[in-house]
Every structure is written in C-alpha cells, then in structure tokens.
C-alpha cells in the first residue's frame, strides 16, 4: 500500500505548478533510473489480469515523465522490458510489446511539445516490427529536442550489454585498431548502450523487491538506491519527490572521506 509522507498532500496528476516542499531545485539528480516493478501484483490484488497492471503502469509513466521534465531531470531511464522477460506467458509478452505503440500513439505529441527526446537502450533489432516502428518514429521525431532524455530500457540486459562491449573491444584488438593496454574504464563505457549518457545518480525500484534484475550493473556503481513497497501503478509524483528529497540528503563519498 502507498506510503504516506507527512509533508505530502493528495493532489491531481498535473503538478507543473507545484513545488515540492523541501526539495532543493538546484540539486536535482541529472539521471534517474527506475525499475518499474509490481504491475502484476497490483492487478492480481484487484482480481484483474496482469496486463491490466501494465496498462495502468503506462499511465504512471506519463505522469512521472511530465514531472521529471518539469523538475529539470536530464535523463530518465525506465526499465520497460528485460532480456529475461521473454520467459513470461506469450499473451503478456505480446501485450508488453504493444505498450510502446499505445504509449506513443497517445503521448508522442505531448513529448514533442515538452521538448522531450526519446531514446532506447537494449537489443532493439529483435523486437517485433510494430514495436520497432513506433519507437523509431518517436526517436526520429524527437531527435532534435534538447529537454529531458526519456530513455526506455527495452529488451535490455546488463550482462548482454557488457558481453557485447567485450566482443566489440576484442574485435578492435584483433583488427589491430586497439592495443590491450589501451583498454580502460572509459573505453569500456564507450562500448555500452549508455555511452552518450551521464551515469545514473539515483536508482528507484518499486514493489518492495530490492535487487537489480540485470539492470545497469556497470553504470550504477555509485548511484544512490531508493526502494519503496509501492507497486508501480500506485507510484505518484509524491513518491518521486520523496525519492529525490532523500537523494538530496545522502552523502555521496565515492570512496573518499
Ligand atoms: C513490472 O511489473 C513490469 C515489467 C516487468 C514489464 P511486473 O510485471 O514484474 O509485476 P510483478 O513484479 O509481477 O508484480
Ligand atoms: C525487472 O522486473 C524488469 C522490469 C521492470 C522491466 P522483473 O519483475 O522482471 O524482475 P524480477 O523477476 O522480479 O527479478
Ligand atoms: Mg516484477
């Protein structure tokens, strides 16, 4: 059930004019990554099929994108489908692959209007054609926007990503373009899907699970983690605000003192 915070009042989804109590607007994390979890359990609790949870979850994505954009977050990475999620029942996988199409059908104009730039990380090539088409169109039509980067992790797996990076680097060494001695952290990072993005400052996971589930294993090395019991369809701007507030009250030491 949603956690209630003392300073948070119930309000409508549109919060553009709202300034959260206590949040320092000069210290908004640049990159927030979210593992949007708990859609299935949310639906089950209501006697509904799992896909009803995914549909509701999509509405929450819209709200949080609006809110993050208004707060001045630079990158919002959303874990939408993992390389392991193909194991799910076929009808659920099909529904999840249709979600980006529905999402962009109804929301692309607002994304364009809000100067949001859509990107993806993950193994894009093997997605169904209709999914690819919708996402590619959104990427193309928002490519010149310089506001929030809305980065969907779609068919994303961190281990797959890193193994691919190793292959790319090995191939360069084989071709004689690179010396083994030149391989360093920066070079490795440059072979990841996230090569053009700043590293995540804050990771949020909903639904009470406290694990990474193969998400951004390399990139999250020094991110702050924030967990909530709330299922993704119940996640609100208030929770996001609280996560940012807590983030701002952490001491990031990066191994120093
Ligand atoms: C997260 O919700 C959405 C995706 C993985 C696509 P889940 O579908 O994992 O919901 P639970 O964890 O089963 O409740
Ligand atoms: C992680 O959630 C993937 C997404 C949110 C897209 P899962 O529900 O698939 O992860 P596990 O199975 O609980 O680890
Ligand atoms: Mg889950």
């Amino acid at each position: 059930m949603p956690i209630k915070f003392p300073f948070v009042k119930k309000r409508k989804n549109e919060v553009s004019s709202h300034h959260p109590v206590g949040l320092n607007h000069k210290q908004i994390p640049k990159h927030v990554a979210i593992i949007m979890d708990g859609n299935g359990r949310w639906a089950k609790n209501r006697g509904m099929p799992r896909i009803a949870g995914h549909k509701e979850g999509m509405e929450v994505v819209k709200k949080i994108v609006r809110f993050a954009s208004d707060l001045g977050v630079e990158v919002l990475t959303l874990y939408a489908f993992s390389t392991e999620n193909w194991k799910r029942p076929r009808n659920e996988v099909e529904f999840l692959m249709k979600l980006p199409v529905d999402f962009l059908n109804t929301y692309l104009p607002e994304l364009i209007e809000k100067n949001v730039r859509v990107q993806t990380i993950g193994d894009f090539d093997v997605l169904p054609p209709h999914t690819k088409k919708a996402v590619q169109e959104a990427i193309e039509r928002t490519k010149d926007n310089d506001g929030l980067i809305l980065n969907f992790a779609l068919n994303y797996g961190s281990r797959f990503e890193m193994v691919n990076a190793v292959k790319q680097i090995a191939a360069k060494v084989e071709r004689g373009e690179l010396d083994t001695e030149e391989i360093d952290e920066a070079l490795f990072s440059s072979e990841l899907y996230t090569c053009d993005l700043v590293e995540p400052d804050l990771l949020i996971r909903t639904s009470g699970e406290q694990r990474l589930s193969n998400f951004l294993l390399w990139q999250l090395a020094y991110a702050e983690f924030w967990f909530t019991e709330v299922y993704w369809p119940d996640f609100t701007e208030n929770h996001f605000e609280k996560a940012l507030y807590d983030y701002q009250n952490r001491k990031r030491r990066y191994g120093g003192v």
Side-chain angles (χ1 to χ4, degrees), residues 37-39 41 50 88 205 207 209:
D37 198 15
N39 294 351
R41 279 163 287 168
R50 292 178 54 84
R88 296 185 176 204
R205 183 168 188 154
S207 90
E209 308 303 345

Side-chain angles (χ1 to χ4, degrees), residues 104 108-109 111-112 116-118 135-145:
L104 293 166
L108 186 56
L111 292 175
I112 292 170
V116 172
R117 178 170 181 189
V118 176
V135 175
Q136 260 158 353
E137 187 196 330
I139 293 171
E140 179 58 30
R141 290 185 59 192
T142 62
K143 69 176 193 309
D144 296 323
N145 291 354

Side-chain angles (χ1 to χ4, degrees), residues 174-189:
E174 259 182 14
R175 291 195 298 264
E177 294 165 17
L178 187 72
D179 203 80
T180 304
E181 285 312 306
E182 291 173 297
I183 302 172
D184 60 10
E185 292 182 12
L187 181 96
F188 187 77
S189 295

Side-chain angles (χ1 to χ4, degrees), residues 35-37 79-82 85 88 205 209 211 213:
I35 303 176
M36 311 181 288
D37 198 15
Y79 206 3
F81 194 90
S82 78
N85 288 148
R88 296 185 176 204
R205 183 168 188 154
E209 308 303 345
R211 54 175 171 260
S213 303

